[in-house]
Structures are given as C-alpha cells and as structure tokens.
Amino acid sequence: MTAEIVRSTLHQKEGAPFSPDELPNLCGRPAVLRQLSPGEELFAPGERSDDIYGIVSGWAYSYRLFDDGRRQINTIELPGSLIGVASAARDGAAVGCACLTRVVYCVYPRATLFGRVMSEPALGLRIVAEVVRQEVLIRERLSDVARRPARERIANFLHELYCRRQITGRMDRPFSIPLTQTHIADALGLTPIHVSRTLREFKRDGVANYVGHDLQIIDAGKLARISTLDESYARWLGGGADAPIAAAEARPAMAARLA
Amino acid sequence: MTAEIVRSTLHQKEGAPFSPDELPNLCGRPAVLRQLSPGEELFAPGERSDDIYGIVSGWAYSYRLFDDGRRQINTIELPGSLIGVASAARDGAAVGCACLTRVVYCVYPRATLFGRVMSEPALGLRIVAEVVRQEVLIRERLSDVARRPARERIANFLHELYCRRQITGRMDRPFSIPLTQTHIADALGLTPIHVSRTLREFKRDGVANYVGHDLQIIDAGKLARISTLDESYARWLGGGADAPIAAAEARPAMAARLA
DNA sequence: CGTATCGTTGAACCATGTCAATGTCTGTGG
DNA sequence: CCACAGACATTGACATGGTTCAACGATACG
C-alpha cells in the first residue's frame, strides 16, 4: 500500500497531481470555495497571505511585479494547480495571481493544509509532485526565454498550453486561449509589439488567430511543427502518457559509508 | 509540537531546508556517500536514475542539454541542496548534474526517501520547502533572463551566489566562484563572448576579476549596487534573516461553501 | 459618441550575437 | 627545458533580432 502510494505519486500519470474534483476535500473536510471574474486577483503583489489556493475551474496566471512597473508572468495556472505554496516561501516578494477567466477556487489556510500532511503523509508527496510539476514548466520556460528566437518561443508557449488543454475541462475545438498579447509578452520576455508582429505571421500561415479576445489555435499540427517542444515533453504536459515505469519498491536504505 | 514543525518548515530560517550535516541521516540510517572531481557528473543527461542526491560539500550545477548541443544551466547547487526530485518527474528529459569542484554527496533511492516520508511526515514538508526554494531561484532567474540587460543579469547572478555563500561552508574572503565564463553564459542565456566583455568592465571597475579559474568578488558593495536584487531577497538567499513571522497555529479548516 | 483597451504598422536604433583571429595559461611528453 | 596541445579568455568588425518611439485603427462599453 505504501509502496503503491509512493509509486503513483512519483510518476504522475494524470495531467496534474490533483484533480479539480478532489480539491475541495483536500484537507479532509470541505474547503472554502470562492469565485472571481476575469482581471480580479486571488492575491495581489505585496499582500502577505497565509493561504494556499487550489484552482477548480478557469484560467489564472501568477506573476511578479517589479519596481519599474514591469511584470513577469511565471506560470499559467489551470484547474488542479495549487497556488501559493512557493509564493509565500519568501515573504514580501511582490508576487500575485490574477484571473484570465472566471475562476472557481478553494482556499486552504497554510497551517491547515500542512497540518493535514502530518496526519496524512501521502498528501505531502502529492504536494511535492505538484510543486515539481510547476518547476518543470518554469525550467522549460527559462530555456525558451534564454535561447529561442521569438517565433519559437511563442510557438512553444502556445503549444504548451495546447497540450495542457485537457486539464481545462472542456476540450474545445478549436482551442482558444484567453491571453492578451501583452500577457504573452510578459510571459516570454518580449514586447507586445513584437508579439503582434509574430502573431500576424501565425495568422498569415494559418496557425493561430484572434477571435474576440481569445487566441484560437487554427492548425495544431502546424503549431507543433513550428514549436521545438520535444514529443515526450508534449506527452507529459498532456497528462503523462509517458512510458510506464518500473517503480522501485519502498525498502530500507542500504547503509554504507564512503571509503 | 506539530504546529511547531509546520511553522519551522514553512518559514525557513536557515539558508536551506537541509543542513549538510544532517543529510547523511535523512532516511534514518546512514546513506551511501560518494565523491566526485570537478567536471564529473552526478548523473548524465538522458540517464534514467531512481536516486535522489544530497550535496554535502562542494559546488555543482544542474543543466539541460538540447539537440543542437546547447546547454541551459538551471541552478547552481550548493551544500544542502537536494537534487533529482524535480529532474525525474519527467522521465527521459535530457537533464544532468555536473561538479564544479570536488563534491561529496549522498545517495537516496527515491523509493527509500519517499517511503521514509510515509513514516515521518515532517520530512515531506521539508522536501516541499527545498523544492520551493529551488523554484524561487529559478523564477528569479527567469525574470532576469527575460528582462534585464546583460550587465545586471550577470551582476544579479554573482550577487545571488555571493549571498548564498554562507552555505558554502567556508566564508572565504575574498569570495571566489568556480565558474567559467561559458558556465555563466549558459546560465544566463548569453554568449561567452559577451560575458567576457562584461566581466572585463567589472574588472576595470574593481568589482570582480578572475584569479586562476575562479572569479573573485573584489568589492561586494559595488556588486550589490550594480545588481537589482532587492534587499529582502538578498537576505532570504543568505539564510532567511527575514522578519519573524507570526505563524498561524494548526487548526481545523473552516467549512463553508460558495454561496 | 467619447473613452478605454487592445492590436497594428513603420522607421530608427542598439544590445547582443556571430565570425574570426589572437592571447594566455597549464599540463604533458620528449 | 622546450615544444606542443587544449582549454579559456580577449578583442575587433560586422550582422541582426528585438526594442523604442510614435501614430493610427478597431472594437467594446457606458
């Protein structure tokens, strides 16, 4: 039993460690639920919060604000995301989290959630898995921003979202993304102007186009071809249809010292 | 007692969740210890490993390798770091971890470490804290790479290392960093050539200079002035001399539903 | 119908990359 | 002790992707 929990927790077969359905009961009893409209904030930069949030439905983004007014979008949060675990590690950091669509989420006081871990250790492992999942996304973004030209960078970003879409709940067709060009720019370290130019090309090439305030993916195949996400990553994003892994059984550590 | 563990885990007062001293006994009994020389790898890209590593002494860096041969350095690992928690989430990712100096580290089979969490839940929270710590570093790096010009980017990077130095064990004076210009370039998304130019300026301005293969910080004050790390972050890096936090006590979650 | 928000377009500029050559140090083998 | 090779760092000339500035266009909303 223990071994099984460990195995399933480490090798996430689902899109995220937590499914939106189970979030309200994560602490054993029903959590507080709230909802917000597009543009509103779960928490604002500089605000000290002792809560952790779980997204039940909708899109949000967490970001950091700089003195000079610039904004760095770190992650796009979809249903199943746990928000605030990392943000609060360093107190006083100017991080915030705002909604892109209508968002329903639950609230866990930190102490309650972590207290629950003490009585239910497997929850701790799942939280580790969730934080790790976010870290993987950010590492990937870092590589993109550091080394890829704007075109690939944007394509990778959109492709990532396209792959994560199954978590969105609805598998719309065509898939549409509630992001402004300024959001994209702030996520990727570009200028809205340059995003505009690049997206213009995407439109010309029949890859993606704005419909109202949503960016619609017209041809996912073309998008995938422009993007440089490798296939195994794309699969992992989509819910870990990764090759099955022979998980080691939990057993006592071997004792040995350095010669 | 529980509340105390939760509190101390969440608001890390030390430089890292784990101290190098306690790493060998993390799983309850002495872990396997190994050591490597500069340039050798704890694990190589593409290698599938079911182990997690804890750095006891020395410097290492974890990185990702691309098809085109490029390398993205994600984090500089210092004593106390837990490596491989994130790397293995997505199997088959081309990530590796290599030594910058002689490194002593311990090895935990994943299943053993996570199995231990089941019997000692507080360990789970400490692992969460460690993963979160790394994530904060990467988010910061992302902001730098996305928005800062090369000069600030490099200054921030060096300043970060300078602040983390107390974890290095020896508080050398002057502080020296075992990184090649190519390492710095690969960490920050720059060209070694441009790093060279910028470091040349740093030398001219009496900020930092190479001595042998180590970059020595000559004037930490000047470095801090060039860098844009905010003060609270610098303190956090240095071991969380953060303002004390009134930690909430662990208590039952309030039950309430969305109206 | 005025105002706000977001996207588009063009022209000029510049931080950084690219290419290519040279310099410096260290260790090694004859 | 010298010759040589390998790994890094330095320097200069040139190319360019992306920014900046500035103006204009479209769409939505009260």
Side-chain angles (χ1 to χ4, degrees):
Chain A
M1 168 61 174
T2 291
E4 193 176 326
I5 291 174
V6 171
R7 183 193 312 124
S8 67
T9 307
L10 302 189
H11 307 296
Q12 326 158 6
K13 300 286 187 204
E14 304 128 41
F18 300 102
S19 102
D21 306 324
E22 65 180 326
L23 282 179
N25 282 302
L26 210 58
C27 289
R29 63 190 68 197
V32 176
L33 276 184
R34 295 199 191 127
Q35 68 179 319
L36 292 173
S37 304
E40 295 187 295
E41 311 211 63
L42 277 77
F43 52 92
E47 198 174 308
R48 144 121 39 97
S49 165
D50 278 318
D51 292 327
I52 288 175
Y53 308 92
I55 303 281
V56 174
S57 74
W59 295 52
Y61 63 95
S62 42
Y63 64 98
R64 204 191 127 173
L65 217 55
F66 295 92
D67 304 332
D68 58 11
R70 280 191 304 216
R71 173 178 73 166
Q72 176 63 43
I73 293 182
N74 284 315
T75 39
I76 304 297
E77 314 281 5
L78 297 180
S81 278
L82 226 48
I83 304 177
V85 183
S87 328
R90 173 165 77 91
D91 231 60
V95 297
C97 184
C99 301
L100 291 164
T101 65
R102 172 161 295 273
V103 167
V104 177
Y105 64 103
C106 21
V107 182
Y108 320 103
R110 296 177 78 68
T112 305
L113 184 62
F114 286 120
R116 172 84 176 167
V117 169
M118 297 305 285
S119 60
E120 182 149 5
L123 178 59
L125 290 180
R126 301 188 68 196
I127 294 175
V128 169
E130 166 61 11
V131 176
V132 160
R133 190 188 62 84
Q134 298 205 18
E135 190 180 316
V136 169
L137 292 180
I138 296 183
R139 286 169 112 111
E140 194 69 21
R141 174 89 12 88
L142 176 61
S143 299
D144 280 351
V145 172
R147 293 296 183 194
R148 312 266 191 215
R151 192 181 160 80
E152 286 181 24
R153 219 184 287 184
I154 295 174
N156 283 356
F157 184 54
L158 299 181
H159 192 196
E160 176 202 302
L161 292 170
Y162 182 79
C163 292
R164 291 169 67 194
R165 108 207 91 119
Q166 16 197 112
I167 302 167
T168 293
R170 308 170 309 130
M171 289 280 278
D172 333 12
R173 188 151 187 74
F175 176 60
S176 65
I177 299 173
L179 286 170
T180 234
Q181 296 190 348
T182 303
H183 287 129
I184 297 176
D186 284 344
L188 301 179
L190 294 168
T191 302
I193 295 155
H194 200 69
V195 171
S196 173
R197 289 196 252 260
T198 308
L199 249 27
R200 198 81 225 304
E201 290 177 26
F202 283 8
K203 174 180 181 178
R204 169 178 38 83
D205 300 343
V207 176
N209 190 22
Y210 270 97
V211 174
H213 281 195
D214 289 356
L215 183 59
Q216 284 203 346
I217 304 301
I218 299 170
D219 186 333
K222 280 182 187 162
L223 178 61
R225 239 164 295 130
I226 299 173
S227 118
T228 57
L229 301 188
D230 65 65
E231 205 203 319
S232 87
Y233 183 61
R235 259 184 288 121
W236 178 83
L237 285 171
D242 251 286
I245 293 150
E249 294 295 306
R251 54 180 150 64
M254 282 168 290
R257 290 226 140 237
L258 180 65
Chain B
M1 167 62 174
T2 290
E4 192 175 325
I5 291 175
V6 171
R7 183 191 313 124
S8 69
T9 307
L10 301 190
H11 307 295
Q12 328 157 8
K13 299 288 188 204
E14 304 128 40
F18 300 101
S19 101
D21 305 325
E22 65 180 325
L23 282 180
N25 281 303
L26 209 58
C27 289
R29 62 191 66 199
V32 176
L33 276 183
R34 294 201 190 125
Q35 68 178 318
L36 291 173
S37 305
E40 294 187 296
E41 311 210 64
L42 277 78
F43 53 93
E47 198 174 307
R48 141 122 39 95
S49 166
D50 278 319
D51 293 327
I52 288 175
Y53 308 93
I55 303 282
V56 175
S57 73
W59 295 53
Y61 63 95
S62 43
Y63 64 99
R64 202 191 130 174
L65 217 55
F66 295 92
D67 304 332
D68 57 12
R70 280 192 303 217
R71 174 177 72 168
Q72 176 64 43
I73 293 180
N74 283 315
T75 40
I76 304 298
E77 313 282 5
L78 296 180
S81 277
L82 226 46
I83 304 176
V85 183
S87 328
R90 175 165 75 93
D91 231 61
V95 298
C97 183
C99 301
L100 292 163
T101 66
R102 172 161 296 273
V103 166
V104 178
Y105 66 102
C106 21
V107 182
Y108 320 102
R110 295 178 78 69
T112 306
L113 184 63
F114 287 118
R116 172 86 176 168
V117 168
M118 297 304 287
S119 59
E120 182 149 4
L123 178 59
L125 290 180
R126 301 191 66 196
I127 294 175
V128 169
E130 166 62 10
V131 177
V132 160
R133 191 187 61 84
Q134 297 205 18
E135 189 180 317
V136 169
L137 292 179
I138 296 183
R139 287 171 113 109
E140 193 69 22
R141 174 88 10 90
L142 176 60
S143 301
D144 281 351
V145 171
R147 293 296 183 196
R148 311 270 191 212
R151 192 182 161 79
E152 285 181 24
R153 219 186 287 185
I154 294 175
N156 283 358
F157 184 52
L158 299 181
H159 192 196
E160 176 202 303
L161 292 172
Y162 182 79
C163 293
R164 289 170 68 195
R165 107 205 94 117
Q166 15 199 111
I167 303 167
T168 293
R170 306 170 312 130
M171 288 281 278
D172 332 13
R173 190 153 184 73
F175 176 61
S176 65
I177 299 173
L179 285 172
T180 233
Q181 297 189 348
T182 303
H183 286 130
I184 298 175
D186 284 344
L188 302 180
L190 295 166
T191 302
I193 295 154
H194 201 70
V195 172
S196 175
R197 290 196 256 257
T198 308
L199 249 27
R200 198 80 225 305
E201 291 177 26
F202 282 10
K203 174 180 180 176
R204 169 179 38 84
D205 300 342
V207 176
N209 189 21
Y210 270 98
V211 175
H213 282 194
D214 289 356
L215 182 59
Q216 283 202 349
I217 304 303
I218 298 171
D219 187 333
K222 280 183 188 162
L223 179 62
R225 240 164 295 130
I226 299 173
S227 118
T228 56
L229 300 189
D230 65 66
E231 208 203 318
S232 87
Y233 182 62
R235 260 184 287 119
W236 179 82
L237 285 171
D242 249 284
I245 293 149
E249 294 295 305
R251 53 180 150 64
M254 283 167 289
R257 289 227 142 235
L258 181 65

